[in-house]
Amino acid sequence: QVQLVESGGGSVQPGGSLRLSCAPSVSIVSVDVMGWYRQVPGKQREVVAAIPSADSTYYAESAKGRFVISRDNAKNSVDLQMNSLKPEDTAVYYCYASRRSSGYWGQGTQVTVSS
């Protein structure tokens, strides 16, 4: 079992930045893939970015050029730096981890982009 603790959500104006952090309860080295998803009411949860390893990343089209996902083994965390935020980025953001063929979700953190 892996617990994921998220932090860093909040409210920001359009064009602003936020940094989300996710810390697993196990060594991050033992986690196969970590990533961030988001969900708005009435829509399916969608992937934002994922990092299978330190030198491999995936971004949704909506995140490319604005978001950066990073994996820090020393801090045992995965961060999502979100820049140039838009109102359409408003959602609950969930951390995801895959380890030994099992998937785990964080509790979610709200990100609101509004003027």
Side-chain angles (χ1 to χ4, degrees):
Q1 192 77 4
V2 178
Q3 273 111 33
L4 302 171
V5 179
E6 300 148 338
S7 60
S11 296
V12 66
Q13 292 187 338
S17 298
L18 283 174
R19 189 176 185 91
L20 306 181
S21 186
C22 176
S25 59
V26 298
S27 171
I28 198 171
V29 176
S30 71
V31 178
D32 302 314
V33 180
M34 290 197 71
W36 287 93
Y37 285 67
R38 68 187 183 188
Q39 188 171 24
V40 297
K43 290 192 174 182
Q44 285 191 332
R45 196 171 293 186
E46 62 178 12
V47 62
V48 176
I51 184 163
S53 63
D55 56 0
S56 175
T57 55
Y58 167 84
Y59 294 96
E61 281 299 320
S62 59
K64 286 181 181 177
R66 300 188 299 126
F67 295 1
V68 177
I69 189 169
S70 59
R71 184 169 175 154
D72 191 329
N73 290 348
K75 287 174 53 182
N76 206 58
S77 70
V78 167
D79 293 348
L80 183 68
Q81 177 66 42
M82 304 186 293
N83 302 318
S84 302
L85 283 161
K86 305 174 181 179
E88 51 263 43
D89 294 317
T90 296
V92 177
Y93 285 69
Y94 295 90
C95 179
Y96 173 80
S98 173
R99 180 176 184 257
R100 298 174 186 172
S101 300
S102 293
Y104 305 90
W105 293 96
Q107 79 281 3
T109 184
Q110 177 71 44
V111 170
T112 301
V113 184
S114 174
S115 55

